Amino acid sequence: MTRLPASLRRLALIGLALCGGWPAAHAGEFEKAYLAALENDARFQAARAALASGQQAVPLARSGVLPTVSASITETTVQGTQQYDVAGSASKTNNLDYRAPVQSINLRAPLLNLEGAARVRQATAQAGNAEATFVSRKAELVDRLAVAYLQRMLAEDAFLSLHAQVHATVAQRNLMRRRFEQGEGTRTEVAEARANLSLTLVQWADSKNQMMSARETLEAMTGLPQPLVVRLEDEFAPPALVPASLQEWQDKAVAANPDIQARRYLVDAADALVARSNAGHMPRLDLVASVSNSRNESVSSLNQSVNQSAIGLQLNIPIYSGGAVKAAVTQALAEKSKAEAEWLNEKRSLEVEVSRLFQIIQSGKSKLLAYEDVLDASRVALEGTLKGQTSGLRTNADVLEAVRKVFQAQRDLAQARYDHIFQRLRLYNKAGVPADSVVSYIDELLSPARTTP
């Protein structure tokens, strides 16, 4: 029986291990992609514009409780006739043709405006909501970027794995041909090897398409070209979570999660709306002042100029509005109850999600060890199958199946590692860790020398 060539053994037992000689991911690559996405991602740019719009709510509302000054210039031309009676004689008529210019400056300064003050409170809460929502959109960008980035890494791992598998199946097919030509093999073994190679080539082509698609997705987010290759180191071992208590993570999430903060601001805005609606029952007091100059103000004051200044207080007292104020208050109270219920639901959902992520991560290390054991066992099984084929106890089909299991175990392990990294990212995002810190943390997880807890 012909012994397997050393080249095939190296491919099957060592070279198949996801091309371990390829370079690993370098620290800073994920952060570079993040910085590029901040400037290039269209959804994030829309969020930035929404923040700029939302921040204008405060100055707009504050303008309602600040003094207003206006100037008015009127230029009027009067034409007509004036008829008046003269005692003891017939009435007389004069033709009128004159200008009546008027200039004035007016000031209104609110002294008591409860509705305006409540509007400012509401706008402040709305601006806070806009800022918290923007922070949430930034965390969402990190989430989407990580999905694209890790999918790209996984797609490239799978491509390299199948590339090595193609070489292994080519070597196995060539071996079966030589054995058949030497009269030691069968036509069936040659056909099996050829069919397996064809199937592997199809899988390799699909993997290449997936890799290119993953690169294009990441490039669309970052605007940067995505060169080969990014890989996770073979000795990847996730560090322990810090803090190690679920309750601490939940407390941290409730205190810092931007979605929770956005909901809290909506409750504050609803509370301010109640006060604003109640202000419809309250009086309003304004200081009013004006300075004016007029000439020929009326027919009786032709050829006369008048300069005057006025200052006073204006008090408006609502008496009856047809029930509008009462209805507005009732509606505002209902909106506040709704906002409080939505905040509570968001809080409870967050605690459940943090608990789920925490448990997944805590059990992740043992899961990764299990996948590593499967990979080691599949390699041992392949080696035994190769020896069995040499001694005639195993067939070519057994070898091809053992090779397939090695590669499948490698892909399963890679998938589990990337999933684990992504779950850590999600936990940090849910806990309200700043996006820049999350990016640095993930960058260190992907780098060969990891010191981040």
Side-chain angles (χ1 to χ4, degrees):
M1 187 69 67
T2 303
R3 186 172 178 82
L4 285 175
S7 59
L8 177 57
R9 286 182 171 274
R10 286 196 297 271
L11 281 170
L13 298 177
I14 302 174
L16 303 184
L18 279 177
C19 303
W22 287 87
H26 297 290
E29 292 300 320
F30 184 69
E31 185 172 3
K32 290 178 184 177
Y34 166 70
L35 294 175
L38 287 178
E39 301 300 325
N40 187 73
D41 184 70
R43 287 170 61 178
F44 184 71
Q45 297 309 313
R48 182 174 286 168
L51 171 64
S53 174
Q55 288 175 328
Q56 300 309 307
V58 175
L60 285 172
R62 190 175 291 126
S63 66
V65 295
L66 294 176
T68 59
V69 180
S70 63
S72 175
I73 300 176
T74 304
E75 182 70 31
T76 304
T77 299
V78 179
Q79 294 179 340
T81 59
Q82 178 186 32
Q83 185 175 9
Y84 58 94
D85 296 331
V86 178
S89 63
S91 62
K92 293 185 177 182
T93 301
N94 291 334
N95 291 324
L96 300 176
D97 187 2
Y98 64 91
R99 294 170 52 251
V102 179
Q103 301 89 32
S104 66
I105 298 178
N106 303 289
L107 166 71
R108 177 178 291 273
L111 300 179
L112 178 63
N113 186 351
L114 299 180
E115 190 272 342
R119 189 186 293 271
V120 172
R121 278 182 53 206
Q122 184 182 21
T124 302
Q126 289 170 342
N129 172 263
E131 292 170 358
T133 300
F134 177 73
V135 174
S136 179
R137 296 292 82 79
K138 201 171 186 180
E140 181 186 290
L141 172 65
V142 176
D143 193 298
R144 290 189 290 111
L145 179 65
V147 170
Y149 196 89
L150 295 176
Q151 282 182 346
R152 175 207 168 187
M153 293 179 70
L154 179 62
E156 291 184 357
D157 271 1
F159 174 76
L160 294 174
S161 173
L162 284 165
H163 189 75
Q165 189 174 353
V166 167
H167 285 287
T169 51
V170 167
Q172 185 71 4
R173 181 202 61 181
N174 294 340
L175 174 65
M176 292 302 103
R177 283 180 175 177
R178 288 195 300 271
R179 291 183 61 195
F180 178 72
E181 292 169 355
Q182 296 170 2
E184 298 179 353
T186 65
R187 190 180 300 275
T188 300
E189 289 180 327
V190 174
E192 286 176 346
R194 185 174 64 250
N196 189 73
L197 175 59
S198 298
L199 178 60
T200 305
L201 286 172
V202 170
Q203 294 172 341
W204 177 83
D206 289 341
S207 177
K208 183 178 180 180
N209 292 335
Q210 292 174 3
M211 180 182 68
M212 299 306 298
S213 177
R215 288 187 191 176
E216 290 170 0
T217 299
L218 188 57
E219 184 173 344
M221 290 185 66
T222 63
L224 297 176
Q226 301 299 318
L228 187 74
V229 61
V230 177
R231 278 207 59 243
L232 195 63
E233 63 172 346
D234 293 334
E235 294 76 22
F236 173 80
L241 274 179
V242 178
S245 166
L246 172 59
Q247 188 61 51
E248 289 181 84
W249 281 102
Q250 289 178 328
D251 292 343
K252 187 175 184 179
V254 171
N257 181 271
D259 292 324
I260 290 291
Q261 292 178 339
R263 290 289 184 187
R264 184 71 257 178
Y265 280 120
L266 289 179
V267 173
D268 294 341
D271 185 64
L273 179 61
V274 173
R276 178 181 162 188
S277 300
N278 270 318
H281 293 297
M282 303 301 171
R284 172 173 175 167
L285 180 64
D286 294 333
L287 171 69
V288 293
S290 65
V291 177
S292 65
N293 172 267
S294 62
R295 180 175 175 79
N296 300 328
E297 191 170 3
S298 65
V299 174
S300 60
S301 59
L302 287 177
N303 301 318
Q304 297 180 24
S305 295
V306 178
N307 295 309
Q308 62 180 6
S309 300
I311 186 169
L313 297 175
Q314 184 179 66
L315 179 65
N316 293 315
I317 303 176
I319 297 177
Y320 181 66
S321 60
V325 174
K326 182 179 179 181
V329 171
T330 302
Q331 185 182 54
L333 288 170
E335 290 294 327
K336 180 182 177 182
S337 297
K338 175 187 174 184
E340 290 174 339
E342 289 176 342
W343 173 82
L344 182 60
N345 179 67
E346 187 80 28
K347 175 178 174 292
R348 290 172 176 171
S349 298
L350 176 64
E351 290 174 338
V352 171
E353 179 66 8
V354 168
S355 176
R356 184 185 73 84
L357 293 170
F358 182 84
Q359 298 300 336
I360 289 175
I361 294 169
Q362 290 295 78
S363 61
K365 190 169 184 179
S366 59
K367 183 177 180 181
L368 292 178
L369 289 174
Y371 277 110
E372 290 171 1
D373 288 342
V374 171
L375 177 58
D376 291 340
S378 65
R379 286 171 173 167
V380 171
L382 174 58
E383 186 175 6
T385 303
L386 289 171
K387 291 179 180 178
Q389 186 184 38
T390 303
S391 61
L393 299 176
R394 294 286 186 174
T395 66
N396 175 58
D398 295 332
V399 172
L400 294 175
E401 178 62 18
V403 169
R404 187 194 66 79
K405 287 183 178 181
V406 169
F407 282 108
Q408 185 60 51
Q410 290 170 342
R411 290 193 287 271
D412 289 344
L413 176 59
Q415 177 74 64
R417 285 172 170 174
Y418 294 130
D419 285 346
H420 184 83
I421 292 174
F422 182 67
Q423 299 304 335
R424 284 176 175 260
L425 177 143
R426 290 295 306 276
L427 179 62
Y428 272 66
N429 275 344
K430 291 296 181 180
V433 177
D436 294 349
S437 299
V438 175
V439 169
S440 297
Y441 177 79
I442 296 302
D443 234 346
E444 292 193 28
L445 279 181
L446 296 176
S447 66
R450 291 187 301 276
T451 58
T452 303

